[in-house]
Amino acid sequence: MQKQQSDLDRERQYCELCGKMENLLKCGRCRSSFYCSKDHQKQHWKKHKLSCREADKAQVPKQIPEQAQPQEDDDKAPEKCPQKKCSEQTDSESVPQPGDTGIPGVGDTPGNDGSNNTATPNGQTSLTPLKLAQEYIVPCMNKHGICVVDNFLGTETGLGILDNVKALHKTGRFTDGQLVSQKSDSTKDIRGDKITWIEGKEAGCDKIRFLMSRMDDLIRHCNGKLGNYTINGRTKAMVACYPGRGTGYVRHVDNPNGDGRCVTCIYYLNKDWNAKEHGGLLRIFPEGKAQFADIEPKFDRLLLFWSDRRNPHEVQPAFSTRYAITVWYFDADERARAKEKYLTGAGEKGVKVELGKPSDPS
C-alpha cells in the first residue's frame, strides 16, 4: 500500500489550481492531489470535492478503528492541508514532510528510503553519478521530461565555479545573447542576458571544466535510456548572466527545428536567491498540459529537460544578477540529419565536443 500511495503522489505534479511545482502540500483527505497553499485548495474545492470524496472512500480503512474519520462538510475543503503540522493532527501522511514537494526532482532528490536526507557534510548529493543517473534522472526524465537535482556538487565546489564565472564577467568577455536566426535589432526585447562560450580549457576555468565533466558523467550513465536518443556529444558551455534590471528571456524553444540538441542541462549559481524578491524564475510550459512548472535558479541546482518543442520556456524578469551555465547534448541521428539539411548555423552551438572517458568509474 505504501508503494502504491507513493506512485499516486508522483502522478499529481502540479498545484491543481495554478500549476506551481514547488513547495506543494498534499490534500489530507484523498492524498492524491497537491496545492501550493491552503487558499488555492479552498478555491479549487468545488471542482475537486467529487474526485476527493471518491478517492477518500477508496482508501484502506484505518488500522485503529476507534479513530473515526470526521465527517467533512461538502461545501468546505478538508482542513488537512496545513502549512504547519497541527499538534492534534494524528495522520502524519496528511502533512508533507520536509522536502516532500510531490514533484520528483524539485527539492526531493531521493535516497533508497525515499527521503531527502542524501547530502554529505559538504552539501552535495551523496548518490554516485551512476545511481543518480539510472535510478533517478532516467525515470524522472522519461516520465516528466523535466528533472531537478539539488545539492549537485556541494557548496565548496559551487562557490569555486561561481568564482570562475565572476572572474570571466569582470574581464568583459560576456556579450549580448544572440538569437539562432537574428534578422532585426530587437534581440534585447527578446533576451536580456550576457553570455560567453567556454570549452573548459581556458585559463581560470578549471572549476567550470569540472562541472562540465560531471554533467558528462551523468549523461554518459543515462545514455541509451533517455527516450530513444543516442547521445554522442555536446555544445560548449554557455555561461550566462542576467544583470538584473528586469532582464529576462521571452517564451521560446531551444531546438524548434531539429538541430540535434535533445537534452538541455542548466546549472545555477545564485546564492540566497529569493524568487519573490529577485524574480528570475524559469517557467516551463510542458506540451499538452495546461499547467506550467516554475523552477527557481537556486545555488548548486542542476536542471535537465528535453530541448525540443515539448518544453517551451521563459526566463521571467530578474531583478538581481542571475548566473547560469548551460550545456546542450546532441542526439547522433538528429544531429547528422540536421547537418545534411543545413539546419544548424556556424555559431558556437554547432561545435561538437566529444564525450571523454568517465571521471567516475561507478
Side-chain angles (χ1 to χ4, degrees):
M1 181 63 189
Q2 186 174 4
K3 183 180 185 300
Q4 184 181 17
Q5 182 64 47
S6 177
D7 291 341
L8 280 172
D9 289 351
R10 292 189 178 93
E11 285 296 326
R12 298 297 185 94
Q13 57 181 11
Y14 307 95
C15 171
E16 295 281 353
L17 186 68
C18 72
K20 185 177 179 181
M21 292 182 75
E22 294 187 311
N23 302 320
L24 298 181
L25 299 170
K26 189 187 304 180
C27 174
R29 187 190 222 183
C30 67
R31 303 190 185 96
S32 61
S33 293
F34 293 87
Y35 296 93
C36 65
S37 66
K38 289 184 69 174
D39 287 341
H40 278 199
Q41 184 200 23
K42 290 177 180 178
Q43 291 177 43
H44 192 254
W45 176 240
K46 286 186 178 180
K47 291 184 177 180
H48 176 58
K49 64 182 180 181
L50 294 177
S51 61
C52 185
R53 283 207 308 267
E54 291 303 315
D56 186 39
K57 291 176 183 178
Q59 295 286 339
V60 174
K62 294 292 181 182
Q63 296 299 316
I64 307 176
E66 63 268 20
Q67 290 184 341
Q69 290 292 307
Q71 295 296 315
E72 301 283 1
D73 184 341
D74 281 349
D75 293 328
K76 294 182 180 180
E79 293 296 328
K80 288 187 179 179
C81 193
Q83 295 287 354
K84 296 182 180 179
K85 185 173 181 179
C86 300
S87 58
E88 65 270 16
Q89 192 85 30
T90 59
D91 187 354
S92 62
E93 286 188 348
S94 300
V95 184
Q97 300 303 307
D100 179 11
T101 64
I103 306 300
V106 182
D108 189 26
T109 304
N112 294 331
D113 60 355
S115 73
N116 194 42
N117 186 23
T118 61
T120 68
N122 188 34
Q124 77 270 26
T125 175
S126 61
L127 299 178
T128 65
L130 178 62
K131 283 194 172 185
L132 184 61
Q134 296 188 356
E135 297 180 12
Y136 180 59
I137 293 175
V138 166
C140 189
M141 284 290 288
N142 287 335
K143 183 173 184 179
H144 303 287
I146 304 169
C147 186
V148 178
V149 179
D150 283 331
N151 306 313
F152 179 49
L153 297 176
T155 302
E156 183 178 346
T157 302
L159 289 174
I161 298 168
L162 180 59
D163 287 343
N164 279 185
V165 170
K166 287 183 175 179
L168 280 173
H169 199 186
K170 288 181 181 178
T171 65
R173 289 186 54 176
F174 284 63
T175 58
D176 289 342
Q178 301 295 308
L179 304 179
V180 174
S181 178
Q182 184 178 350
K183 299 180 180 179
S184 69
D185 296 328
S186 62
T187 303
K188 290 185 178 179
D189 295 332
I190 298 174
R191 61 184 295 182
D193 56 338
K194 304 281 186 178
I195 67 169
T196 189
W197 293 90
I198 296 298
E199 185 176 357
K201 299 178 181 178
E202 299 85 348
C205 295
D206 56 313
K207 300 299 183 183
I208 297 176
R209 180 171 64 250
F210 176 74
L211 166 67
M212 295 161 70
S213 72
R214 289 302 301 271
M215 288 178 171
D216 288 351
D217 285 347
L218 281 185
I219 296 299
R220 188 180 299 104
H221 289 311
C222 292
N223 211 358
K225 301 179 178 67
L226 288 174
N228 296 317
Y229 295 122
T230 299
I231 297 173
N232 69 337
R234 59 163 168 78
T235 65
K236 295 181 180 181
M238 186 187 78
V239 184
C241 170
Y242 289 87
R245 305 190 301 276
T247 49
Y249 196 159
V250 300
R251 182 168 171 171
H252 65 284
V253 173
D254 285 350
N255 175 17
N257 298 314
D259 65 18
R261 289 176 291 163
C262 59
V263 175
T264 301
C265 195
I266 307 176
Y267 182 72
Y268 293 111
L269 290 156
N270 309 295
K271 290 287 289 182
D272 304 317
W273 191 267
N274 182 333
K276 290 183 179 180
E277 178 182 352
H278 303 136
L281 287 171
L282 182 76
R283 176 164 290 180
I284 304 178
F285 305 86
E287 183 184 49
K289 296 184 179 179
Q291 303 95 335
F292 50 79
D294 280 343
I295 311 296
E296 293 189 42
K298 293 181 177 180
F299 179 80
D300 200 27
R301 167 172 280 183
L302 184 71
L303 167 67
L304 303 94
F305 58 89
W306 303 131
S307 304
D308 59 21
R309 293 176 182 269
R310 284 173 287 181
N311 285 316
H313 55 282
E314 66 188 18
V315 177
Q316 297 192 334
F319 300 98
S320 185
T321 302
R322 178 189 187 275
Y323 290 114
I325 299 176
T326 304
V327 167
W328 287 272
Y329 287 89
F330 291 129
D331 172 62
D333 291 340
E334 183 180 312
R335 185 66 176 168
R337 291 194 300 269
K339 286 183 176 180
E340 289 177 2
K341 297 179 181 180
Y342 304 100
L343 289 181
T344 50
E348 297 284 352
K349 289 176 185 174
V351 179
K352 176 180 171 183
V353 181
E354 298 291 346
L355 298 188
K357 295 181 179 180
S359 62
D360 188 326
S362 62

